[in-house]
Amino acid sequence: LASHFLHWLVGVVFMLHISVFVAVLREVVRPEILWFLRNPADAEEHPLRDLIDEPLSRHARRIILSSLLYIPLTFGFVYVPISIAKLLWPALFPLSGAWHDPFSEVPAPLLLLQVSLPLVMEHFRPRDSFKTLLHWWLDGVGQYVGLRHRILPSPVTQLVPSHQAEDANEPASESEGAGAECKEQEERLSLWLRATLVIALGWATLAFLGAVCIVLPVGAGRGVLAMAGAHVPHDVYAFSLGFFLVGVGVECLGKLAGILQSQGAASLMSAVLDFSTQIGKCLVAGAVLLVLVPATTGVLLDLVLAVPLRVGLYQTPVLGTLWHWVLGVLVLKLSYRAILHSPGWAPAHRQLLLQAAQQRWRSIRLRWLMVELGLPLLATNTLLLSLPYSFAFGVLPLLGVPPVVCSVVWRWAFPAGAGAAALWMLWLGLGQVFKQLHDSLRDSLYLVGRRLHNLS
């Protein structure tokens, strides 16, 4: 059952990718190119109503045609790219995709969906980049085969001169008509051949790009993880890291090429220096906000919730694993969403987070980000982690307390402190609620106009 579900999931993802590709292609080419495909964005299309009104035989015919259509699509866009990738880099295969990952207790899809893909989507924007690349390819290939005016929409409408229109209206002789008909057939045959060539080149380009999108990110991610000394058995991590690095590298090369073409080599060196400075700032900010703060938050939550219950008294808890980092990322992400969607709760923190979210890696303010957000969070987590440990293993042994009691005090100090903090916040919240209730009752009973009456 699980295998069938995975097959269904892969098929749905493939069909969604085909739909996205057709939608992007519809935005680039002329409207009459894809006349044979239904447009879901059309106001006259009603799929649910057609599902109810149309007969079952028509739906069955559509299902059969769709199945016959997806067979060559699967062969051309799945099997062929994988075969090309095996020819390009045979040592890269087989890819590791085990569901039970011995590297950590965190499932790879969780890390991919919560951490890697949002980072890639925010900085790379695959849809816009693919749309630009598709327009460039169609422009180049269309000019090469002479079909650019038939594929891409022309921005300027060309007017026919009046004398050409008069010549076109003149009657032609029989020999000229036969020659024109023969020439029209040759042009139609040439048009079909050139259109077939465009389709074949498009399929070959997409197949080769699919193979490159498999080989290059996985190889780059494996290389970076190997240089970092991390033995990661799941290739989802390598693909995510490599895809992000390749996307950022392509974007940087495009920017540098544009600067070199427009401003020259002197401006290029200045741009490289500024870009290196921005990269350094991003690395420092990422090390604090994306590594240290989530890791310490995850360790703190583990000490509060799980360690007193799952670790024995004479056992040592293992802290600082990837699980703690992912747990911290999830908790910080949920806290960020909760603060942004609750305007009345912590307005100062909400304003601070909004200002931090507006910054991009090209114009990051490192000093402000560290002083206002990064260092306070890191200092708070470090203080909450170090105070119980210092008290349990630094102060209590000086008073003659046995080591077992010190360990118990250290383990239960975190949940006790968290409970006391929760009670204190609940007390402050209830006090605020009762104060607002008291003020509303007082105003409704004694406030007349702008003056208080009968208030002893």
Side-chain angles (χ1 to χ4, degrees), residues 105 302 305-312 315 317-319 323-324:
E105 298 177 1
D302 192 18
L305 300 175
V307 168
L309 300 177
R310 67 179 177 87
V311 181
Q315 295 178 346
V318 178
L319 302 176
W323 164 256
H324 296 96

Side-chain angles (χ1 to χ4, degrees), residues 24-31 33-34 134 138 151-153:
V24 174
L25 186 62
R26 198 185 297 274
E27 296 176 3
V28 176
V29 301
R30 299 174 67 93
I33 296 294
L34 301 177
L134 183 61
L138 289 174
I151 298 175
L152 297 177

Side-chain angles (χ1 to χ4, degrees), residues 48-184:
L48 294 179
R49 189 181 66 184
D50 295 341
L51 184 64
I52 297 174
D53 296 341
E54 293 181 354
L56 186 60
S57 58
R58 181 172 296 180
H59 294 305
R61 185 170 64 251
R62 287 178 179 173
I63 292 174
I64 294 174
L65 291 177
S66 299
S67 301
L68 295 176
L69 178 63
Y70 275 105
I71 290 175
L73 289 177
T74 305
F75 175 80
F77 296 130
V78 177
Y79 178 77
V80 174
I82 293 177
S83 302
I84 296 175
K86 289 181 178 180
L87 293 176
L88 292 177
W89 198 339
L92 192 68
F93 295 90
L95 300 178
S96 176
W99 291 100
H100 300 286
D101 189 357
F103 181 65
S104 66
E105 298 177 1
V106 183
L110 179 64
L111 184 66
L112 180 67
L113 294 176
Q114 297 293 334
V115 180
S116 303
L117 287 182
L119 197 64
V120 171
M121 294 295 180
E122 181 179 358
H123 294 283
F124 187 54
R125 295 181 178 89
R127 182 183 177 90
D128 297 339
S129 303
F130 181 72
K131 185 177 178 181
T132 304
L133 292 176
L134 183 61
H135 188 275
W136 288 351
W137 188 89
L138 289 174
D139 190 8
V141 175
Q143 289 183 356
Y144 177 74
V145 299
L147 292 179
R148 186 189 181 282
H149 63 286
R150 294 180 178 270
I151 298 175
L152 297 177
S154 56
V156 180
T157 304
Q158 297 181 356
L159 299 177
V160 180
S162 58
H163 65 276
Q164 293 183 5
E166 293 176 357
D167 294 341
N169 293 328
E170 293 180 357
S173 61
E174 294 182 359
S175 59
E176 291 178 355
E181 184 178 358
C182 182
K183 185 177 180 181
E184 183 180 356

Side-chain angles (χ1 to χ4, degrees), residues 176-447:
E176 291 178 355
E181 184 178 358
C182 182
K183 185 177 180 181
E184 183 180 356
Q185 292 181 356
E186 291 179 357
E187 290 181 353
R188 185 177 301 177
L189 179 60
S190 174
L191 178 63
W192 278 104
L193 291 177
R194 286 181 290 172
T196 305
L197 178 61
V198 171
I199 295 174
L201 289 176
W203 169 77
T205 305
L206 287 177
F208 183 75
L209 286 179
V212 171
C213 288
I214 296 173
V215 170
L216 196 58
V218 175
R222 283 185 180 180
V224 172
L225 291 175
M227 288 188 295
H231 177 66
V232 182
H234 208 305
D235 282 326
V236 171
Y237 307 119
F239 178 81
S240 304
L241 178 61
F243 190 79
F244 178 70
L245 293 178
V246 170
V248 172
V250 170
E251 185 178 359
C252 296
L253 291 178
K255 295 291 183 182
L256 294 178
I259 293 174
L260 181 61
Q261 185 178 3
S262 60
Q263 301 179 8
S267 300
L268 179 63
M269 296 304 297
S270 177
V272 169
L273 182 60
D274 294 339
F275 180 75
S276 302
T277 305
Q278 293 300 120
I279 289 294
K281 291 181 180 180
C282 292
L283 290 177
V284 173
V288 175
L289 293 175
L290 299 179
V291 178
L292 295 179
V293 173
T296 53
T297 303
V299 171
L300 187 62
L301 288 174
D302 192 18
L303 290 172
V304 170
L305 300 175
V307 168
L309 300 177
R310 67 179 177 87
V311 181
L313 184 60
Y314 297 97
Q315 295 178 346
T316 302
V318 178
L319 302 176
T321 60
L322 182 63
W323 164 256
H324 296 96
W325 177 74
V326 175
L327 178 62
V329 168
L330 295 178
V331 171
L332 291 176
K333 190 174 182 179
L334 292 176
S335 303
Y336 172 76
R337 297 295 182 186
I339 292 175
L340 288 186
H341 290 84
S342 301
W345 182 52
H349 296 83
R350 183 174 183 271
Q351 186 66 25
L352 183 64
L353 291 177
L354 287 176
Q355 294 179 7
Q358 293 175 356
Q359 298 195 25
R360 293 294 181 263
W361 71 275
R362 301 180 185 87
S363 59
I364 186 173
R365 293 186 296 165
L366 181 63
R367 182 181 179 85
W368 178 88
L369 200 61
M370 291 293 101
V371 172
E372 297 293 336
L373 191 62
L375 294 181
L377 288 175
L378 185 60
T380 302
N381 290 343
T382 306
L383 186 64
L384 293 176
L385 289 172
S386 60
L387 278 181
Y389 187 88
S390 301
F391 177 76
F393 296 102
V395 177
L396 292 183
L398 297 178
L399 302 177
V401 179
V404 177
V405 179
C406 295
S407 179
V408 171
V409 170
W410 173 71
R411 293 191 180 191
W412 289 98
F414 293 99
L423 290 177
W424 177 251
M425 293 177 63
L426 180 62
W427 175 260
L428 293 179
L430 290 176
Q432 187 70 21
V433 170
F434 283 121
K435 184 177 182 302
Q436 293 178 358
L437 180 61
H438 172 267
D439 293 342
S440 63
L441 291 176
R442 181 198 62 188
D443 295 342
S444 63
L445 292 177
Y446 299 104
L447 186 62

